[in-house]
Amino acid sequence: MTSPYDPGLEREVRELGYSVGSVESGLRSLREEFEEDSSRSRGRLDSVERDLRERQEEIEGLVERADDHDEDVVFLRRAVDDLGQRVAWLERRVRTAAGGSAVDLDATGHETEQLVKRIAAGRAAEAQLLPAADRARHVRSLTAHQEAAARLEKARTAVLEAASTLATAAHGSDAFKRAASAYLQAATNARTADTHVRSSQVAADTARSALNRDDSLDRTLAEAAAAGQAAHEHLVRIARDRISTALAGTDLLPVWFASALGPMPPREDTEAWLDTATRALTYRLAYGVRDEVLALGSIPAQATDRRRADHQAAERALRR
């Protein structure tokens, strides 16, 4: 059976297999040496990490050149991703045994606690105010009713004007004929507008009541909602700064972070990756999630609709 690839690609794939075997063999040797003498393994850890990164870069380069090929290359990419996860896991075990510690991205203090309280208060206030979409819908309903009423008033005025001309103009004259035509058109317009006014009356009454209630709410609700939004934006900045600091440091990333986002940022779409990581950490801080394995934890049965929506948004971002 002939290969669908050119000889150069097949050779690169074979070399990739040799590289994978070499990496796994090197890791096994490192593990055996570490168990024999942990102090000696610490001295070699940096060089092993450099070697692993170099091998990973070589693998990524080969995969990038094979992106345009068929299912076998897709399978190869998955195998490489799996190898990367195993390498990251082994690296974590070695570094933990050597005394490494994980960054506590979920740490809370007075500042974050106050921000979370303001966010909760703001969202409680928002729940009492009309959502922007509902308010816009009510405004459209009220506007449609008012426009229909204006058309009805205009049509009735035209009917009266035409009727006045018909009463004074000579029968059969041009003025009479024009007035008769105008009367018929105005009467038709009046009936159509009246139908629209009647059909939109209930929606208009509902909209007017909802808008009046929203406008009459205490001003502090709007202020609390705005303060909650500002607090959320501040918490996002804190989460982003924590992640950036952790990535620039030497400590291990938490298990939940590495499992959901990988051990390091990708070379491409780094900004989008950082946005997703920030969204996940912001969610954890805002809702007090402390699950060590699941990035977003589990949804409590009594969770609010807002929390469920935030969870779904963060989950969708992690799946991209």
Side-chain angles (χ1 to χ4, degrees), residues 73-104:
V73 177
V74 173
F75 176 79
L76 179 61
R77 175 185 286 277
R78 291 174 180 169
V80 170
D81 289 342
D82 180 65
L83 173 62
Q85 291 295 328
R86 284 190 289 163
V87 167
W89 180 82
L90 288 171
E91 179 186 6
R92 184 182 186 88
R93 294 295 297 271
V94 172
R95 293 181 65 185
T96 300
S101 59
V103 178
D104 185 9

Side-chain angles (χ1 to χ4, degrees), residues 21 53 60 93 165 306:
R53 290 193 181 93
E60 289 171 0
R93 294 295 297 271
T165 300
R306 178 58 182 267

Side-chain angles (χ1 to χ4, degrees), residues 168 206 213:
T168 57
T206 301
R213 175 186 175 280

Side-chain angles (χ1 to χ4, degrees), residues 12-25 55 58-59 62 83:
E12 290 176 351
V13 171
R14 285 197 300 272
E15 290 175 356
L16 173 61
Y18 299 150
S19 296
V20 170
S22 176
V23 171
E24 292 181 334
S25 176
R55 295 303 177 94
E58 292 174 3
I59 292 171
L62 291 174
L83 173 62

